[in-house]
Amino acid sequence: MTAAPPDGWVPVEHRLFGFDRRRFRPALFVLGVALVLIYGTQALNAVIPWNDPTRAGDVLDLGDGATAVPPVGWQLEDGALVGAGNSGTSPTSSSITLAKAGAVIHLQGARFDGSASAFLDQVASVSDRTSAVSGQRTSYTTAAGLVGVVESESGPSGDGLRAAFKLATGTDADAAPALLVVVRTAPGQFERYRDQIDALLSSITPEAAR
């Protein structure tokens, strides 16, 4: 007689990187996989000699006119810059990764109907965190007026934060694409990059008016 599987057991065909495929929509599954890749990027940085540093005046293309300004001197490992000939970037699938000396910033676009806070709840529900949330979730308003939410993280593997925004303001916000920003640093290194991270978050702009 075969013993019944334990509660919470997920068949191998429904698992990927520890996530249960059946629990969330495809767009959020992509986000879940992205989070796993983000947390592994620090090890990747140690073995791959990236050489595409950001420069003063660079602007990240988040799709449909939405933008952000990266900190200078970080390696652009993935993503497009405004004016670089990559006009096909979509705000619901944009993916940008910046790295520098044990720190990683990842921006991921997604389709999501609802508030920025609800979006961050969904992301948390499909991710297997290796660090605990150490700070309360707080509101964050960019220079362009986008209202999002931010929460900090700290644990044995490092420190960082997660932030979520909707790429529109006012009554259009809930239906607009969502943007997740995940920052990870080596233990004790977050304060070293805090001002640069804050400047990037503040620089995020909404989609162009249609």
Side-chain angles (χ1 to χ4, degrees), residues 135-159:
Q136 291 186 341
R137 184 175 297 184
T138 59
S139 177
Y140 188 102
T141 303
T142 73
L146 292 179
V147 179
V149 289
V150 177
E151 58 186 28
S152 61
E153 297 181 331
S154 182
S157 63
D159 307 312

Side-chain angles (χ1 to χ4, degrees), residues 19-152:
F19 293 94
D20 183 348
R21 297 171 183 264
R22 302 166 300 178
R23 291 183 55 204
F24 40 89
R25 298 189 297 273
L28 289 176
F29 178 68
V30 171
L31 283 174
V33 173
L35 290 173
V36 175
L37 296 177
I38 294 162
Y39 293 137
T41 303
Q42 294 181 38
L44 189 64
N45 291 339
V47 297
I48 298 180
W50 303 98
N51 188 26
D52 189 15
T54 53
R55 298 171 174 81
D58 282 349
V59 178
L60 302 172
D61 186 357
L62 303 179
D64 286 353
T67 62
V69 178
V72 174
W74 288 57
Q75 294 295 325
L76 180 61
E77 298 180 359
D78 183 33
L81 297 175
V82 172
N86 300 291
S87 59
T89 302
S90 168
T92 59
S93 61
S94 61
S95 178
I96 294 171
T97 302
L98 299 158
K100 183 177 183 180
V104 177
I105 302 173
H106 184 78
L107 299 90
Q108 178 71 50
R111 189 182 306 278
F112 183 82
D113 290 332
S115 68
S117 186
F119 175 60
L120 198 55
D121 286 340
Q122 285 285 345
V123 171
S125 74
V126 301
S127 61
D128 181 16
R129 295 190 177 193
T130 57
S131 59
V133 175
S134 60
Q136 291 186 341
R137 184 175 297 184
T138 59
S139 177
Y140 188 102
T141 303
T142 73
L146 292 179
V147 179
V149 289
V150 177
E151 58 186 28
S152 61

Side-chain angles (χ1 to χ4, degrees), residues 154-160 185-193:
S154 182
S157 63
D159 307 312
T185 72
Q189 294 297 304
F190 184 80
E191 290 301 320
R192 175 183 176 186
Y193 299 108

